[in-house]
Amino acid sequence: MIRTTLATISALFVLALPARAADDAVAVPTLRPSVTVTSDVVRVGDLIDNAGSAALIAVYRSPDLGTTGVLPVAQVLGVLRAKQVIGVMTGDVKEVTVTRLARTLANKDLENAVASALERRFGLGDAANITVTFDRGVADMRLDASNTGALQPVATRYDARSGRFDLTFEISNDNTATPTKLRFTGSAIETVEVAVLTRDIDRAELLKSSDVVLERRPKAEVTGEAASRDRTVGMQLRRPMRAGMPIRIADIVKPDFVQRDQNVTIIYQVPGLYLTTRGKAIDNGAEGDTVSVLNVQTKRTLTGTVTGRGQVTVQGASQSIPMAPAVEQTSSIKHEDVPPAAALAQSLIQTPAPSARVAQAQIPQAQVSPAPAKSE
């Protein structure tokens, strides 16, 4: 009985349509359980399949952009009847959900658009290094879904001294020839990634990984080349610095392996010969630096390269040290057969004596390993 009544009502609805909708007579108007709209109003054609010529009649205000609303079926039918739309099949639908589509512009997308518009202009660098802050805290923005175009800057103003910007963008609209305009104001500054101290550090301390973190700071705060975190670990500061201070390349040096007046080991090394003796550093020096050292046995001042902590290596070929006077050897090797390198090594550690006869056993604190003598 109910189905017969609905069929009769549907027939009456069809007869009430204009003649131009006669082609739709064979289709029964059916309520949709879920509706998606892009405009600011919901029309009959959005709610009903096979709505015919009544499809363009507006019946509801759309939900807010990007949101969903729920309508009870009884309410929908009541509104439709008020618009002279009857005979709609509802089936087992209890409510209708209406979702309004929108284009969402995330805050980060807007920041990137502003940074790109300012990139390499007004004295700024790459967009990736420009930090943007909007006035009034612009959050994610929702636009009508018909705004499908890209953000195109059409007016750009920037004050390099204050960092203030005023930008206007246009977005093409599918529904109208007039583009949508968006205007933003705020501040934009160029930043750099730099290692920052987490605690107060004295000059003598070695920087550990826990002593530095990587942060973005305004470029104006970092005069000179910013130091990366990896480059600072294991280095020393040129001066004491406080926590929170950014570190520049000019602020760090290699750690001192040798310090002035420090007791060091002097190494003399040439092919076939390795000799060590005690000395005292005259200069500070990091690994690879050239420093002067005093041989405490001979009181000679030598020049060598810092090769380790408390260690200075003297290369024989680079030294211009006068040969020692003729020395009588305690071994069976004749004097004229002594290797030149060994003779030079002896000159490094022997204390000049009035007598030309110096026993090799008189050389304290040294170990000499002369190369095998070559026979002619």
Side-chain angles (χ1 to χ4, degrees):
M1 181 66 180
I2 294 176
R3 292 184 179 180
T4 302
T5 303
L6 290 175
T8 302
I9 294 174
S10 298
L12 291 174
F13 176 78
V14 172
L15 291 174
L17 296 177
R20 62 184 178 181
D23 292 341
D24 299 332
V26 294
V28 177
T30 305
L31 188 66
R32 293 172 177 162
S34 179
V35 177
T36 300
V37 297
T38 58
S39 66
D40 56 354
V41 294
V42 180
R43 305 178 189 276
V44 172
D46 297 321
L47 295 170
I48 300 174
D49 287 325
N50 309 315
S53 60
L56 298 180
I57 299 175
V59 291
Y60 279 107
R61 176 181 172 275
S62 297
D64 292 336
L65 289 168
T67 63
T68 298
V70 178
L71 298 171
V73 169
Q75 184 186 100
V76 173
L77 294 177
V79 173
L80 291 176
R81 279 195 297 270
K83 300 294 183 179
Q84 304 303 314
V85 179
I86 59 175
V88 179
M89 297 293 291
T90 61
D92 58 355
V93 177
K94 298 295 188 294
E95 60 184 18
V96 178
T97 60
V98 181
T99 301
R100 185 176 179 184
L101 297 180
R103 178 183 178 183
T104 300
L105 296 176
N107 178 269
K108 189 63 178 178
D109 295 332
L110 298 174
E111 290 179 0
N112 291 339
V114 171
S116 296
L118 298 174
E119 183 176 32
R120 298 182 182 177
R121 301 176 63 188
F122 311 105
L124 298 173
D126 295 338
N129 295 327
I130 299 176
T131 299
V132 175
T133 304
F134 293 109
D135 292 337
R136 299 181 300 277
V138 175
D140 294 351
M141 179 176 293
R142 290 189 176 93
L143 303 178
D144 193 283
S146 60
N147 293 284
T148 57
L151 283 166
Q152 297 291 342
V154 293
T156 305
R157 296 169 58 188
Y158 182 77
D159 186 341
R161 290 176 298 178
S162 64
R164 297 285 303 170
F165 69 82
D166 186 339
L167 272 76
T168 300
F169 294 91
E170 285 187 351
I171 303 177
S172 60
N173 192 304
D174 294 340
N175 294 338
T176 66
T178 304
T180 300
K181 288 190 176 182
L182 300 175
R183 180 185 176 189
F184 301 101
T185 60
S187 61
I189 57 173
E190 186 173 3
T191 61
V192 293
E193 281 193 339
V194 59
V196 177
L197 291 175
T198 60
R199 65 184 183 90
D200 296 350
I201 300 292
D202 189 67
R203 183 191 178 282
E205 294 185 73
L206 291 182
L207 291 171
K208 303 185 295 295
S209 59
S210 60
D211 294 332
V212 290
V213 293
L214 197 61
E215 292 183 4
R216 277 208 166 271
R217 291 292 183 89
K219 188 176 181 180
E221 291 184 8
V222 185
T223 56
E225 184 180 357
S228 66
R229 186 173 183 274
D230 292 341
R231 190 161 181 178
T232 58
V233 175
M235 304 291 277
Q236 281 182 316
L237 299 175
R238 292 184 182 274
R239 57 187 175 87
M241 297 177 64
R242 300 185 66 83
M245 295 183 65
I247 306 173
R248 305 166 304 165
I249 294 297
D251 294 327
I252 56 177
V253 293
K254 292 180 180 180
D256 287 339
F257 280 2
V258 170
Q259 296 184 354
R260 181 182 176 87
D261 295 330
Q262 175 187 353
N263 291 328
V264 297
T265 298
I266 302 174
I267 299 174
Y268 178 79
Q269 187 173 5
V270 293
L273 181 67
Y274 184 91
L275 178 147
T276 63
T277 189
R278 291 185 298 116
K280 179 174 289 188
I282 299 176
D283 306 311
N284 294 334
E287 185 176 16
D289 289 349
T290 299
V291 296
S292 296
V293 290
L294 176 68
N295 186 322
V296 296
Q297 299 299 320
T298 66
K299 306 305 180 183
R300 292 175 184 268
T301 298
L302 308 174
T303 300
T305 303
V306 178
T307 54
R309 292 191 179 279
Q311 179 177 295
V312 177
T313 297
V314 178
Q315 298 294 337
S318 64
Q319 300 298 319
S320 300
I321 301 175
M323 296 298 292
V327 179
E328 180 178 338
Q329 304 297 313
T330 56
S331 66
S332 59
I333 302 176
K334 295 181 179 180
H335 172 65
E336 59 270 17
D337 293 334
V338 176
L344 182 56
Q346 290 173 1
S347 72
L348 287 172
I349 61 173
Q350 286 178 338
T351 304
S355 173
R357 187 181 299 272
V358 180
Q360 192 173 12
Q362 293 176 342
I363 305 175
Q365 303 295 331
Q367 298 82 40
V368 181
S369 302
K374 295 181 181 179
S375 58
E376 298 183 359

Short mmCIF file of all heavy atoms in Angstrom, two decimals, residues 5 21 24 30 44 72 98 103 121 132 147 166 168 200 206 218 263 269 272 335 353:
data_model
loop_
_atom_site.label_atom_id
_atom_site.label_comp_id
_atom_site.label_asym_id
_atom_site.label_seq_id
_atom_site.Cartn_x
_atom_site.Cartn_y
_atom_site.Cartn_z
N THR A 5 1.30 4.17 -2.90
CA THR A 5 1.11 5.60 -2.64
C THR A 5 2.31 6.41 -3.11
O THR A 5 2.17 7.47 -3.73
CB THR A 5 0.88 5.83 -1.14
OG1 THR A 5 -0.24 5.07 -0.72
CG2 THR A 5 0.64 7.31 -0.86
N ALA A 21 11.18 18.70 -19.24
CA ALA A 21 11.74 17.66 -18.39
C ALA A 21 11.09 16.31 -18.64
O ALA A 21 11.24 15.38 -17.86
CB ALA A 21 11.56 18.04 -16.92
N ASP A 24 12.97 13.07 -18.39
CA ASP A 24 13.36 12.53 -17.10
C ASP A 24 12.23 11.74 -16.44
O ASP A 24 12.38 11.28 -15.32
CB ASP A 24 13.76 13.68 -16.16
CG ASP A 24 14.95 14.44 -16.69
OD1 ASP A 24 15.77 13.85 -17.43
OD2 ASP A 24 15.04 15.64 -16.36
N THR A 30 15.34 10.37 -6.26
CA THR A 30 15.83 9.58 -5.11
C THR A 30 16.75 10.43 -4.26
O THR A 30 17.65 11.11 -4.78
CB THR A 30 16.58 8.33 -5.59
OG1 THR A 30 15.74 7.58 -6.47
CG2 THR A 30 16.98 7.46 -4.41
N VAL A 44 18.60 21.57 -4.99
CA VAL A 44 17.82 20.33 -5.09
C VAL A 44 18.61 19.26 -5.83
O VAL A 44 18.62 18.09 -5.44
CB VAL A 44 16.47 20.60 -5.78
CG1 VAL A 44 15.73 19.27 -6.06
CG2 VAL A 44 15.60 21.51 -4.93
N PRO A 72 18.58 15.71 9.05
CA PRO A 72 17.60 14.62 9.18
C PRO A 72 16.74 14.55 7.92
O PRO A 72 16.39 15.59 7.33
CB PRO A 72 16.78 15.01 10.41
CG PRO A 72 17.64 16.00 11.14
CD PRO A 72 18.41 16.72 10.09
N VAL A 98 26.18 16.54 4.37
CA VAL A 98 26.55 17.52 3.35
C VAL A 98 27.95 18.03 3.64
O VAL A 98 28.20 18.62 4.70
CB VAL A 98 25.55 18.69 3.32
CG1 VAL A 98 25.94 19.67 2.22
CG2 VAL A 98 24.14 18.19 3.11
N ARG A 103 39.64 24.41 -0.78
CA ARG A 103 41.07 24.34 -1.00
C ARG A 103 41.75 24.90 0.23
O ARG A 103 41.51 26.05 0.61
CB ARG A 103 41.49 25.15 -2.23
CG ARG A 103 43.00 25.14 -2.45
CD ARG A 103 43.39 26.00 -3.63
NE ARG A 103 44.84 26.02 -3.79
CZ ARG A 103 45.48 26.74 -4.71
NH1 ARG A 103 44.79 27.49 -5.56
NH2 ARG A 103 46.80 26.70 -4.80
N ARG A 121 66.00 38.74 -3.53
CA ARG A 121 65.60 40.11 -3.78
C ARG A 121 65.80 40.92 -2.49
O ARG A 121 65.80 40.35 -1.40
CB ARG A 121 64.14 40.20 -4.23
CG ARG A 121 63.81 39.43 -5.51
CD ARG A 121 62.33 39.50 -5.80
NE ARG A 121 61.89 40.89 -6.06
CZ ARG A 121 60.61 41.23 -6.19
NH1 ARG A 121 59.66 40.32 -6.07
NH2 ARG A 121 60.29 42.50 -6.42
N VAL A 132 59.67 33.44 7.84
CA VAL A 132 58.53 34.34 7.67
C VAL A 132 57.64 34.29 8.90
O VAL A 132 57.31 33.21 9.40
CB VAL A 132 57.72 33.98 6.41
CG1 VAL A 132 56.47 34.84 6.29
CG2 VAL A 132 58.59 34.11 5.17
N ASN A 147 38.93 27.96 -6.52
CA ASN A 147 40.23 28.65 -6.61
C ASN A 147 41.33 27.61 -6.82
O ASN A 147 41.95 27.14 -5.87
CB ASN A 147 40.48 29.44 -5.33
CG ASN A 147 39.51 30.59 -5.16
OD1 ASN A 147 39.63 31.61 -5.82
ND2 ASN A 147 38.54 30.42 -4.29
N ASP A 166 54.93 43.43 2.70
CA ASP A 166 53.52 43.60 2.36
C ASP A 166 53.34 43.00 0.97
O ASP A 166 53.76 43.60 -0.02
CB ASP A 166 53.14 45.08 2.39
CG ASP A 166 51.64 45.30 2.20
OD1 ASP A 166 50.97 44.40 1.67
OD2 ASP A 166 51.15 46.38 2.58
N THR A 168 50.84 40.91 -1.98
CA THR A 168 49.51 40.57 -2.49
C THR A 168 49.65 39.47 -3.53
O THR A 168 50.48 39.58 -4.45
CB THR A 168 48.83 41.80 -3.12
OG1 THR A 168 48.70 42.83 -2.13
CG2 THR A 168 47.44 41.42 -3.63
N ASP A 200 78.55 27.27 29.23
CA ASP A 200 79.74 28.12 29.19
C ASP A 200 80.97 27.25 28.94
O ASP A 200 81.14 26.19 29.57
CB ASP A 200 79.92 28.87 30.51
CG ASP A 200 78.77 29.84 30.79
OD1 ASP A 200 77.96 30.06 29.86
OD2 ASP A 200 78.68 30.36 31.91
N LEU A 206 87.98 21.07 25.31
CA LEU A 206 87.63 20.53 24.00
C LEU A 206 86.11 20.47 23.89
O LEU A 206 85.42 20.07 24.83
CB LEU A 206 88.21 19.13 23.81
CG LEU A 206 89.72 19.01 23.68
CD1 LEU A 206 90.11 17.56 23.45
CD2 LEU A 206 90.23 19.86 22.54
N PRO A 218 69.20 34.55 13.09
CA PRO A 218 69.26 35.62 12.08
C PRO A 218 70.69 35.79 11.56
O PRO A 218 71.64 35.78 12.33
CB PRO A 218 68.78 36.85 12.85
CG PRO A 218 67.91 36.29 13.93
CD PRO A 218 68.56 34.99 14.33
N ASN A 263 106.77 19.88 29.00
CA ASN A 263 107.74 18.85 28.68
C ASN A 263 107.20 18.00 27.54
O ASN A 263 106.05 17.53 27.59
CB ASN A 263 108.02 17.98 29.90
CG ASN A 263 108.77 18.73 30.98
OD1 ASN A 263 109.58 19.62 30.70
ND2 ASN A 263 108.51 18.39 32.24
N GLN A 269 113.45 11.33 13.18
CA GLN A 269 113.14 10.16 12.38
C GLN A 269 113.58 10.38 10.94
O GLN A 269 113.23 11.37 10.30
CB GLN A 269 111.63 9.88 12.42
CG GLN A 269 111.24 8.57 11.75
CD GLN A 269 109.77 8.27 11.97
OE1 GLN A 269 109.06 9.08 12.54
NE2 GLN A 269 109.34 7.10 11.54
N GLY A 272 115.47 4.40 8.42
CA GLY A 272 116.46 3.56 9.08
C GLY A 272 116.87 4.03 10.44
O GLY A 272 117.72 3.40 11.08
N HIS A 335 135.17 5.33 11.60
CA HIS A 335 134.52 6.64 11.67
C HIS A 335 133.97 7.05 10.31
O HIS A 335 132.87 7.58 10.20
CB HIS A 335 135.52 7.68 12.18
CG HIS A 335 134.98 9.09 12.10
ND1 HIS A 335 133.92 9.49 12.86
CD2 HIS A 335 135.38 10.14 11.34
CE1 HIS A 335 133.65 10.76 12.59
NE2 HIS A 335 134.54 11.18 11.66
N ALA A 353 131.42 19.22 23.62
CA ALA A 353 132.46 19.06 24.65
C ALA A 353 133.78 19.52 24.08
O ALA A 353 134.02 19.44 22.88
CB ALA A 353 132.55 17.59 25.08
#
